[in-house]
Amino acid sequence: MVEDLLTQPLLVVAGSEAGSLWMSTELHGRARTTKKLRVVEGGTHMDFYDVPKYVDQAIAEAVPFYTEHLAPKPADQY
């Protein structure tokens, strides 16, 4: 199902110690769109809510990825 419905660029950031890591890697593997998987060493799922060390790493991945893949194109590039 995700193979057919997910068409937008996908960034998956997960902690190496997250119990949900397997879901993140499965989603990344099944998606047929522009995608990137970043596993942050030592992080758990909950660390990405409020532990600056992990939040900062997720933001450092998200900003350039989504700037590149979701930023509007200048009118002369259409």
Side-chain angles (χ1 to χ4, degrees), residues 6 8-14 24 27-28 31 33-39 57-66 69-70:
L6 185 61
Q8 68 273 26
L10 172 69
L11 172 64
V12 180
V13 179
S24 299
L27 172 63
H28 179 265
T33 187
T34 301
K35 61 187 179 178
K36 181 176 183 180
L37 172 65
R38 170 71 159 89
V39 178
Q57 289 182 63
I59 292 170
E61 291 292 332
V63 171
F65 182 85
Y66 288 118
H69 297 292
L70 297 181

Side-chain angles (χ1 to χ4, degrees), residues 22-47:
W22 70 272
M23 289 184 253
S24 299
T25 57
E26 183 175 329
L27 172 63
H28 179 265
R30 292 175 62 188
R32 295 181 187 158
T33 187
T34 301
K35 61 187 179 178
K36 181 176 183 180
L37 172 65
R38 170 71 159 89
V39 178
V40 178
E41 190 61 37
T44 67
H45 178 89
M46 297 302 291
D47 288 336

Side-chain angles (χ1 to χ4, degrees), residues 49-70:
Y49 289 101
D50 62 0
V51 178
K53 170 182 173 180
Y54 298 105
V55 173
D56 291 349
Q57 289 182 63
I59 292 170
E61 291 292 332
V63 171
F65 182 85
Y66 288 118
T67 298
E68 177 181 352
H69 297 292
L70 297 181

